[in-house]
Amino acid sequence: MADVKSDNATVQALQKSNVSRYIQLASLFRQRIESGEWDVGSQIPTVKELADQCGVATMTIRQSLDILEKEGLIERYRAKGTFVVERPKRDLWCEVKTDWTGMLIARDNATIEILGVEPGAHLPRHEGDMGNAAPSYRHLRRKHTRNGQAFLLADVFIDERICEHIPEENYTKVTAMRLVADIPGQTVTNANQIVTIGSADLETATHLNMSIGDPIARVQRIAVNQNGDIILLANGIYRGDMMKIEVKLR
């Protein structure tokens, strides 16, 4: 009876979400492997059994299993079945710092790629009401990777009036906050960080090589100078399966 209730709950959850069913199921099956419910070396239920359990067409199940197979988590054998060969990698090496010092330290072995630069941009809408907008901003889109895996997509807005004081090489070497923290004559008197949890849209999924609807963390950072001007606004999107937030309480 417990199994029936669990299956009904799965069917209802699939119906409530706007995310494609096969993507939802791929995430569900990935969780089963990660938790050990489907252990490495074990054979998973057949496509028909999974379709009956989840209340979907067999084609939907096959599409979800295609994703897991591409990720190297399962292998399918004709006339034998489908077997788990590896657990998802949960390498939480991307840590979102919650203190000022941490925001200035770049991730070890990470590379930063500039995807685009837009001068004369306006400050986008943002959380809170701290600081005043500068006349214009330089908008940089940056992608952070480590060992070939993208983990952060960021839109960085820097007060145009201070950009000439930032060494060009710094744009591909240091954190967004570090870009403005070391400028002579500029003192960051107020800064904050807001973290919200969401899911990947098509653009984010494409850049970070993840599935649509997978968990992400949106991190917004703002720095205000001694004149009350917002000299930096950075909107970052982190892969949820590669990051952690650690808060020092004492």
Side-chain angles (χ1 to χ4, degrees):
M1 223 22 197
D3 290 339
V4 174
K5 290 182 179 179
S6 176
D7 293 342
N8 288 339
T10 299
V11 172
Q12 291 174 8
L14 290 170
Q15 292 172 343
K16 287 180 181 178
S17 176
N18 292 325
V19 178
S20 298
R21 300 278 175 85
Y22 76 95
I23 293 176
Q24 295 182 65
L25 287 168
S27 297
L28 173 64
F29 299 157
R30 193 182 297 112
Q31 291 169 7
R32 289 182 180 178
I33 296 172
E34 186 177 27
S35 68
E37 181 180 346
W38 290 356
D39 207 357
V40 173
S42 67
Q43 181 177 4
I44 71 172
T46 66
V47 169
K48 186 179 185 310
E49 288 171 341
L50 290 172
D52 290 342
Q53 289 174 12
C54 301
V56 298
T58 56
M59 178 59 71
T60 303
I61 297 296
R62 290 192 180 95
Q63 288 177 307
S64 65
L65 295 180
D66 285 343
I67 294 176
L68 300 189
E69 188 172 32
K70 289 178 182 178
E71 293 175 357
L73 303 181
I74 62 172
E75 286 187 3
R76 292 140 127 176
Y77 300 94
R78 184 171 295 181
K80 288 186 178 181
T82 301
F83 295 81
V84 178
V85 295
E86 188 175 340
R87 283 189 178 182
K89 291 181 172 60
R90 297 284 291 179
D91 187 10
L92 301 178
W93 43 261
C94 179
E95 182 177 356
V96 175
K97 298 290 186 178
T98 57
D99 63 336
W100 172 251
T101 302
M103 291 187 195
L104 303 180
I105 301 174
R107 303 283 78 80
D108 291 339
N109 302 320
T111 60
I112 301 174
E113 176 187 0
I114 303 295
L115 301 180
V117 180
E118 177 193 8
H122 294 292
L123 189 71
R125 293 182 62 183
H126 56 280
E127 299 285 343
D129 56 0
M130 61 184 292
N132 306 306
S136 65
Y137 290 83
R138 180 178 298 183
H139 171 205
L140 298 98
R141 168 155 279 202
R142 309 198 303 175
K143 182 165 69 173
H144 299 236
T145 64
R146 197 175 92 161
N147 298 329
Q149 175 62 68
F151 65 90
L152 167 62
L153 182 67
D155 287 287
V156 181
F157 295 82
I158 304 171
D159 186 342
E160 286 271 21
R161 296 171 295 183
I162 64 175
C163 286
E164 62 181 272
H165 303 293
I166 301 175
E168 196 66 29
E169 62 270 18
N170 280 11
Y171 290 115
T172 57
K173 288 185 177 180
V174 303
T175 66
M177 198 63 76
R178 174 67 77 179
L179 287 172
V180 302
D182 296 336
I183 297 177
Q186 295 290 320
T187 303
V188 176
T189 58
N190 196 3
N192 77 346
Q193 173 175 264
I194 298 174
V195 181
T196 56
I197 305 303
S199 57
D201 57 17
L202 177 59
E203 183 181 19
T204 300
T206 300
H207 280 296
L208 298 184
N209 191 30
M210 57 197 303
S211 298
I212 298 173
D214 277 357
I216 58 170
R218 298 184 184 274
V219 180
Q220 182 175 91
R221 294 173 178 138
I222 299 177
V224 177
N225 70 2
Q226 70 273 19
N227 300 319
D229 297 326
I230 298 175
I231 56 175
L232 171 78
L233 185 147
N235 290 319
I237 302 176
Y238 290 82
R239 282 185 58 131
D241 60 345
M242 289 187 176
M243 58 86 68
K244 66 178 179 179
I245 301 173
E246 184 173 337
V247 180
K248 187 175 181 180
L249 297 178
R250 191 173 180 182

